[in-house]
Amino acid sequence: MIKVMIVEDDPMVAEFNKRYLNQVDGYELAAVCSSVDQALNVLENQRIGLVLLDIFMPGKNGLDLLSQIRESEKEIDVIVISAASDIERIQKALRLGAVDYLIKPFEFERFNAALSAYRNKSDFIQDKNMLNQEELDYRILHQEEIHLPEELPKGLSQDTLKIIWNVILVFKNAPFSTEEVVNVAGISRVSVRKYLKFMKDIGVLDVKVIYGTVGRPVSQHKFNDDKSHIIQRYL
């Protein structure tokens, strides 16, 4: 069992995280702390494997704690769970070794994916003394690719996926809407939405909801070049 410490100053959010944690196998809650000083005290007296860490707290913040953990060279991993969505804090957390970063509010599915991926990686590493390049690439550095579906979901076809993907490649340098894909591909809006959702789920598209002054919000899609190779297994 991986022993977990939750560091969160809001009692309601801490309880929320506890309930989510209880739904994921392989973890044991060891402590809940509301401040950095309290968390440091726990780390001195208990063996903790994973910290679920908020950034915004009175006094010292979560990044201060993460920095101190790294300086102490303790064998502790950290998943940040925070409302902080600015790139500066996210980059700092990742550079300090955070293994994942969840932006509040989030769904259980994202929490479960983060904790499951971490548990699977931990279990895999415990059984290994050395890794080959393939194991390092796909079991450690690209953990998310392990959970990709082997085949297209039911109701999606390879031919239609190819058509929509070729349209997306036209838009790859700028955000685009569902309607723009519909207009070029000549495929129904309902069908296009299914394929765009699938591509979002496997990470080859990023989606941002734009709220205008009037009318319904519009989803803007953007080509994710770093993960575009993933689509090749389905084409």
Side-chain angles (χ1 to χ4, degrees), residues 94-137:
L94 296 176
R95 285 168 178 160
L96 286 170
V99 298
D100 207 337
Y101 197 113
L102 277 64
I103 299 174
K104 300 175 184 176
F106 54 89
E107 301 293 334
F108 172 72
E109 287 75 15
R110 180 63 179 87
F111 182 94
N112 184 49
L115 273 290
S116 296
Y118 178 80
R119 182 194 61 230
N120 292 340
K121 184 171 71 173
S122 297
D123 291 344
F124 177 73
I125 290 174
Q126 284 181 0
D127 296 330
K128 295 283 184 178
N129 292 319
M130 298 181 68
L131 300 175
N132 60 39
Q133 189 66 57
E134 183 178 1
E135 289 171 329
L136 178 61
D137 287 345

Side-chain angles (χ1 to χ4, degrees), residues 19 55 103 116 151 165 182 198 205 223 229:
R19 292 180 183 179
I55 289 180
I103 299 174
S116 296
E151 299 177 348
W165 181 246
V182 170
F198 168 69
L205 291 182
F223 184 86
H229 65 282

Side-chain angles (χ1 to χ4, degrees), residues 11-169:
M12 290 184 63
V13 176
E15 181 62 29
F16 181 81
N17 290 340
K18 284 171 57 179
R19 292 180 183 179
Y20 271 4
L21 184 66
N22 287 336
Q23 297 180 55
V24 184
D25 293 334
Y27 291 93
E28 177 184 342
L29 180 62
V32 178
C33 302
S34 59
S35 70
V36 170
D37 289 338
Q38 186 181 2
L40 288 171
N41 183 59
V42 170
L43 293 178
E44 287 298 320
N45 295 285
Q46 294 191 52
R47 186 175 181 84
I48 302 294
L50 178 66
V51 178
L52 303 183
L53 178 65
D54 188 18
I55 289 180
F56 296 132
M57 286 181 286
K60 297 178 183 177
N61 64 41
L63 293 177
D64 294 327
L65 176 59
L66 180 52
S67 181
Q68 288 187 252
I69 290 173
R70 293 295 161 253
E71 288 175 5
S72 69
E73 298 185 351
K74 291 181 180 293
E75 295 181 357
I76 299 169
D77 287 318
V78 173
I79 293 177
V80 173
I81 300 178
S82 177
S85 59
D86 60 284
I87 193 64
E88 182 178 354
R89 287 189 178 90
I90 292 173
Q91 283 187 321
K92 184 172 183 179
L94 296 176
R95 285 168 178 160
L96 286 170
V99 298
D100 207 337
Y101 197 113
L102 277 64
I103 299 174
K104 300 175 184 176
F106 54 89
E107 301 293 334
F108 172 72
E109 287 75 15
R110 180 63 179 87
F111 182 94
N112 184 49
L115 273 290
S116 296
Y118 178 80
R119 182 194 61 230
N120 292 340
K121 184 171 71 173
S122 297
D123 291 344
F124 177 73
I125 290 174
Q126 284 181 0
D127 296 330
K128 295 283 184 178
N129 292 319
M130 298 181 68
L131 300 175
N132 60 39
Q133 189 66 57
E134 183 178 1
E135 289 171 329
L136 178 61
D137 287 345
Y138 294 103
R139 299 301 299 268
I140 306 299
L141 301 180
H142 300 289
Q143 181 70 18
E144 70 279 4
E145 295 196 15
I146 298 172
H147 304 289
L148 294 173
E150 292 294 325
E151 299 177 348
L152 283 173
K154 186 176 180 180
L156 303 189
S157 76
Q158 188 180 61
D159 288 342
T160 304
L161 179 64
K162 287 179 180 178
I163 293 171
I164 294 176
W165 181 246
N166 286 333
V167 172
I168 289 171
L169 292 177

